[in-house]
Amino acid sequence: MVAASLRRMNTRLVNVVIDAARPRVLADFWAALLGWRVALEEADEVDVRAPEADGWDLDLVFVPVPEAKEVKNRIHLDLASTTLAHQEELVSRALELGGSRVDLGQGAVPWVVLADPEGNEFCVLEPRDRYAQAGAVAAIVVDAHDPERLAAFWARLTGRPVGAREGDVLVGLRAPSGRGPWLEFLRNDDVKRVKNRVHLDVAPPSGADHAAAVSEVVAAGAAPADLGGPDLPWRVLMDPEGNEFCVLTPR
């Protein structure tokens, strides 16, 4: 097991990346739903950015891929609400923008499970005190066979301390600032079968040695992933449960 007390690495979380058949269409959906803006549009990516007051210091990045979505995503977003009326309003807005309701066998729960126009699952949560300072996105949720072990690995990568535990079911990492989304690891025994359509990017700070940062991440338990070409400036790796992520160049 990776010990949570081990020295953290010199990297931080910078992006949540979503594969898309139509990146601009999907970016517009999420920007409208969250009240954010499209900040960048290029041939190989479209970025959606939160206002500074929201506390989210990452980008939502949509990249074009030819493959269709096959299975439930192993990483999804939970949206925060402040009141039950606000929760209902978020659900209605998502449906009006082209989202749909999803039945994953969740039964009678206080949150609402939806999908965006390309089938990416997300939840609209009922009001919860834990997410009062989170902003529009309450949490980035990662399915995990061993939430404690995976959370320890990502705590080292991101510098986020453990801020919540729910038995052996969930471990949540809180941003050091106390604002923005939680990074949560939720027990799920499903077997990973295909490349994740949603992944995380981390990056070392400006001026750091990229190769050294990659080596440190690998030494902490990551493994190389056979994705992309050799000329990419970033490195694609997998965490201890096979979830792909990228170590970007220093920034």
Side-chain angles (χ1 to χ4, degrees), residues 4 6 15 21 40 44 47 62-63 79-80 91 94 107-108 118 123 134-135 141-142 192-193 205 222 227 232 240:
L6 291 176
N15 295 324
L40 173 72
D44 57 352
D47 296 359
F62 300 86
V63 297
L79 306 192
V91 171
E118 293 200 8
C123 298
V141 184
V142 183
K192 183 176 184 290
R193 296 194 289 114
L227 299 172
L232 294 175

Side-chain angles (χ1 to χ4, degrees), residues 67-68 113 120 135 139 146 175 184 189 200 207 222 233 248:
E67 302 85 8
V113 184
N120 299 298
D146 186 339
E184 296 182 344
D189 294 329
L200 306 178
L248 304 184

Side-chain angles (χ1 to χ4, degrees), residues 12-19 30 34 36 45-49 56-63 73 75-78 120-121 137 139-142 154 160 181-183 197-202 244-246 248:
R12 71 188 194 285
L13 191 60
V14 293
N15 295 324
V16 177
V17 184
I18 302 175
D19 291 352
W30 282 98
L34 299 174
W36 296 358
E45 71 176 80
V46 181
D47 296 359
V48 172
R49 193 162 297 162
W56 172 291
D57 58 357
L58 319 171
D59 280 352
L60 272 181
V61 178
F62 300 86
V63 297
N73 289 339
I75 300 176
H76 73 268
L77 301 182
D78 281 351
N120 299 298
E121 302 85 4
V137 177
I140 304 159
V141 184
V142 183
W154 281 96
R160 292 172 172 241
W182 289 68
L183 179 58
R197 290 184 73 83
V198 182
H199 74 263
L200 306 178
D201 284 348
V202 299
E244 300 85 4
F245 68 97
C246 297
L248 304 184

Side-chain angles (χ1 to χ4, degrees), residues 124-197:
V124 181
L125 302 181
E126 76 286 1
R128 300 185 191 181
D129 290 343
R130 182 190 301 171
Y131 307 123
Q133 302 300 316
V137 177
I140 304 159
V141 184
V142 183
D143 288 353
H145 292 168
D146 186 339
E148 193 73 39
R149 178 173 183 257
L150 205 57
F153 173 83
W154 281 96
R156 292 193 65 200
L157 257 67
T158 64
R160 292 172 172 241
V162 173
R165 282 188 175 89
E166 296 178 10
D168 63 352
V169 174
L170 182 142
V171 180
L173 305 181
R174 191 69 174 111
S177 68
R179 301 171 64 234
W182 289 68
L183 179 58
E184 296 182 344
F185 299 87
L186 178 67
R187 180 173 294 281
N188 187 308
D189 294 329
D190 290 349
V191 176
K192 183 176 184 290
R193 296 194 289 114
V194 297
K195 180 181 79 70
N196 288 347
R197 290 184 73 83

